[in-house]
Amino acid sequence: MNFTIRPAARTDCKDISRMIRELAVYENMQDQVKISHEELERDGFCDSPFYQSLVAEVPEDRGRAVVGYAIFYYTYRTWTGPTVYLEDLYVRPEFRGKGIGKAMMNTVAKVAKQRQCSCLHLSVLDWNQPSIDFYIAKGGRNLTATEGWQFIRFEGDAFENLVQGAPKN
């Protein structure tokens, strides 16, 4: 299949926003999506962006269509230094199995390597076996299974309580 992977532009945020919602439906979490394409533009295309993104394009009758995206950002691991966190890797269902996801993941890894990152981290839902299999086939390790790491989140009232220094009973 003929496709192109390129850095996302501000003008891609509407397509990325649409695909974020598609991904949320697939993950049965559509009620959790609160971000708009305007916020994606603000947060990813400012002087100090919070994230970077790639898009996958395929040719179509009217030019090119965006059919996938990757959103990633840099973190710091005290044991090994800079790392990259792959927040989302999504390819529209009708374009899966054509090498697009692999190409986007490889591109994220290449960009991270140029920034001296030592590894790539990501999270995947425990029931999403096709994605787990994809990542494992590419050489990823399931750290929950092998090392017992658990992913913890503070949000909503828990986050506000943390900000305020209030104890959680």
Side-chain angles (χ1 to χ4, degrees):
M1 161 159 258
N2 182 17
F3 63 87
T4 303
I5 306 298
R6 64 168 174 79
R10 180 183 295 270
T11 55
D12 295 314
C13 288
K14 284 184 181 176
D15 286 325
I16 293 170
S17 179
R18 175 181 42 81
M19 289 184 288
I20 287 171
R21 292 184 194 314
E22 289 174 15
L23 176 58
V25 168
Y26 174 74
E27 293 178 338
N28 298 314
M29 296 183 173
Q30 58 269 28
D31 60 323
Q32 294 189 33
V33 177
K34 309 292 185 217
I35 198 157
S36 68
H37 74 273
E38 293 92 353
E39 290 165 311
L40 289 170
E41 290 175 16
R42 178 196 69 207
D43 297 340
F45 298 91
C46 57
D47 289 337
S48 295
F50 283 95
Y51 71 90
Q52 286 182 260
S53 55
L54 303 172
V55 293
E57 290 182 320
V58 297
E60 67 171 8
D61 294 338
R62 298 175 308 234
R64 301 197 58 80
V66 176
V67 299
Y69 76 97
I71 289 183
F72 58 99
Y73 52 88
Y74 301 99
T75 65
Y76 198 83
R77 190 164 180 234
T78 57
W79 295 351
T80 60
T83 65
V84 66
Y85 188 86
L86 181 59
E87 178 69 26
D88 283 353
L89 176 65
Y90 179 77
V91 177
R92 300 196 72 210
E94 60 270 29
F95 295 96
R96 293 180 188 156
K98 302 179 185 321
I100 295 171
K102 178 183 176 188
M104 282 196 297
M105 196 162 179
N106 290 350
T107 303
V108 170
K110 287 175 186 174
V111 170
K113 187 71 172 175
Q114 291 170 349
R115 299 268 317 256
Q116 280 76 50
C117 292
S118 61
C119 65
L120 181 148
H121 287 174
L122 59 91
S123 299
V124 61
L125 291 165
D126 61 359
W127 58 261
N128 189 348
Q129 201 60 50
S131 292
I132 293 168
D133 293 344
F134 173 78
Y135 298 130
I136 298 299
K138 302 294 173 255
R141 283 189 310 134
N142 183 338
L143 296 181
T144 303
T146 62
E147 296 181 14
W149 291 100
Q150 300 293 311
F151 191 73
I152 307 295
R153 175 185 296 149
F154 292 88
E155 65 183 350
D157 288 343
F159 180 69
E160 288 304 320
N161 287 339
L162 194 60
V163 168
Q164 299 302 321
K168 170 74 178 163
N169 300 342

